[in-house]
Amino acid sequence: MSTTVKSARDINASLLAKPNLNTSRRNFIAGASVLAGALVATAVSGRRALAQPPGCTLGNPNVETHNPNCHCFLAGTRIATPDKEVAIEELRIGDVVMTVSGKPKPIKWIGRNHYTRQPSQPWNPDIAPIKVGRFAIDDATPCRDLYLSPGHAIYLHGLLIPVENLVNGRSIVVDQRADAVSLDYYHIDLEEHDVVLAEGAPAETLGGSDRSGFDNAEEYEMLYGSSVGPKRPFAPLVSLNGGRQQLRSRLRSAISPVYDIRQPLDVIRDHIASRAFDIAA
């Protein structure tokens, strides 16, 4: 499977006809509230970073201290195996899961994290799951609502995109889980960085070389030692980091009917946002 970054023109051709004022207006409206939220979250994150030393601590006193970069699947997420879909918390080391290439591969390890909050406090933005609504991506994907941590990447058109960059306020939204005082996340580690099918949607497995942010990191060390070699990324990762990049992205979408200079992520996000309007119509 190729890991070459597609050009915006190639992705444009595969997703959309030439953007028009109607699609631009809809995408801009969908993005306005999302952007406002991103700017607030950026400011909060900045204050949090200044108020604490570097490390895994989130700096939110109502949440247990964990690494926000442990991108994961919310408990209950069903993962495709050769025989059936299985809830991620029921999978075990050695179980075989299906990958996007069609090849079944064994699980090397499963990381997990447990988070809590006080009922009077909202979920930290690093923890509140992102809901990818049923059929948000296409007519079959995902086959059910999919819940991921904000930084978890899904695989679309040859690219890995953090799901938080695809939020549109309609089909992909932040779910504050107002009634839940605890959340459990799980992540699948294969021998290589890969893409599995979660609720029918292509989502990444565990990459990188740091397992220390998981509650059960000691289990990994007991099995494999503390050293984790670098993994070759399954595909290029494209993302928007911070409010300024979010703003530039939204402006590129807004002017696209006149001058289309959108980047691949912009095009993919705009297509999903436009689809959300069409489904609701």
Side-chain angles (χ1 to χ4, degrees):
M1 185 171 296
S2 173
T3 59
T4 302
V5 178
K6 294 184 179 181
S7 69
R9 179 177 299 177
D10 290 339
I11 293 180
N12 218 344
S14 68
L15 294 180
L16 297 171
K18 183 176 176 58
N20 54 54
L21 289 174
N22 186 44
T23 59
S24 175
R25 179 183 62 82
R26 295 193 312 187
N27 293 336
F28 189 80
I29 291 173
S33 61
V34 175
L35 178 58
L39 291 172
V40 171
T42 298
V44 171
S45 297
R47 290 196 300 271
R48 187 166 65 240
L50 291 173
Q52 64 184 34
C56 294
T57 302
L58 289 173
N60 189 338
N62 64 313
V63 181
E64 294 180 2
T65 57
H66 295 286
N67 187 342
N69 296 315
C70 296
H71 309 144
C72 308
F73 301 94
L74 194 65
T77 302
R78 281 162 279 198
I79 306 297
T81 75
D83 300 322
K84 60 182 179 179
E85 291 179 307
V86 178
I88 191 167
E89 65 270 25
E90 297 177 6
L91 292 170
R92 299 293 182 266
I93 293 173
D95 287 350
V96 175
V97 294
M98 295 302 299
T99 61
V100 74
S101 67
K103 293 181 60 177
K105 296 183 180 181
I107 294 174
K108 180 178 180 180
W109 183 67
I110 297 177
R112 62 178 183 269
N113 272 329
H114 177 75
Y115 299 97
T116 61
R117 70 174 178 91
Q118 296 297 324
S120 61
Q121 297 294 321
W123 282 109
N124 186 294
D126 292 322
I127 295 173
I130 304 295
K131 172 187 170 182
V132 183
R134 181 172 181 252
F135 302 158
I137 297 171
D138 59 36
D139 290 342
T141 311
C143 57
R144 290 172 291 272
D145 292 347
L146 170 65
Y147 296 89
L148 303 169
S149 58
H152 198 113
I154 56 179
Y155 179 67
L156 298 173
H157 300 277
L159 302 172
L160 288 167
I161 304 174
V163 68
E164 63 186 342
N165 290 163
L166 298 174
V167 170
N168 54 45
R170 287 175 173 260
S171 62
I172 302 180
V173 300
V174 177
D175 183 353
Q176 273 294 332
R177 295 271 160 157
D179 296 331
V181 294
S182 66
L183 294 175
D184 290 288
Y185 280 107
Y186 296 81
H187 209 341
I188 294 173
D189 196 3
L190 304 183
E191 191 63 36
E192 299 175 339
H193 189 220
D194 215 312
V195 171
V196 295
L197 300 175
E199 308 293 9
E204 69 171 336
T205 62
L206 186 56
S209 59
D210 185 8
R211 305 290 181 268
S212 63
F214 289 97
D215 290 347
N216 59 330
E218 289 184 1
E219 178 189 43
Y220 187 94
E221 293 185 12
M222 290 176 59
L223 292 170
Y224 306 110
S226 58
S227 177
V228 181
K231 293 185 177 183
R232 180 181 179 182
F234 180 82
L237 175 71
V238 293
S239 63
L240 300 171
N241 299 312
R244 289 184 179 180
Q245 289 191 14
Q246 290 273 4
L247 178 59
R248 294 190 188 104
S249 174
R250 296 297 177 177
L251 289 175
R252 288 193 295 267
S253 294
I255 67 172
S256 60
V258 178
Y259 186 45
D260 193 357
I261 55 171
R262 291 176 297 169
Q263 301 299 309
L265 188 156
D266 307 333
V267 178
I268 294 170
R269 183 205 58 224
D270 289 352
H271 171 69
I272 293 174
S274 291
R275 174 178 171 79
F277 278 91
D278 293 336
I279 291 173

